Amino acid sequence: MKLGVLFSGGKDSCLALHKVLSRGDEVKCLLNIVSKNVDSFMFHKQDLGLLKLQAERLGIELKCENSEGVEGEELEDLRRLISGVKD
């Protein structure tokens, strides 16, 4: 199965990625929401440079979507990201 994995670069998303790869699925891309709000309601505020290095070292394309980080609108940002890579 070809998948995209929601990836913050933290230990939880790294473990999730590891489990998906261990079962033999093909991860086509890592998905990340870049929130302008450090107090985002749904997404971590990560070091984007480090995240890009992780994706490069893993050999998996990183796809990012910007978000204002407004409560109630972040889910739509995630939908937009997924729609953009779905095909």
Side-chain angles (χ1 to χ4, degrees):
M1 182 183 315
K2 295 179 184 179
L3 301 172
V5 172
L6 189 57
F7 191 75
S8 70
K11 61 183 180 275
D12 293 334
S13 60
C14 286
L15 177 60
L17 175 63
H18 173 73
K19 287 185 174 193
V20 167
L21 291 172
S22 293
R23 71 178 190 205
D25 291 322
E26 180 182 357
V27 176
K28 297 296 286 182
C29 58
L30 302 174
L31 307 173
N32 184 269
I33 298 290
V34 180
S35 179
K36 291 182 182 177
N37 181 356
V38 294
D39 296 320
S40 169
F41 295 94
M42 289 184 62
F43 303 106
H44 296 289
K45 182 73 173 164
Q46 66 287 327
D47 179 328
L48 192 54
L50 181 59
L51 190 63
K52 288 177 180 179
L53 283 173
Q54 286 176 293
E56 183 181 309
R57 295 280 172 96
L58 288 164
I60 303 172
E61 184 178 7
L62 176 64
K63 298 283 192 170
C64 295
E65 180 74 33
N66 291 322
S67 172
E68 293 296 323
V70 176
E71 185 176 12
E73 295 178 18
E74 291 178 309
L75 190 54
E76 189 55 41
D77 298 330
L78 180 58
R79 282 189 184 108
R80 190 172 49 253
L81 174 61
I82 292 170
S83 294
V85 300
K86 201 163 103 174
D87 296 324

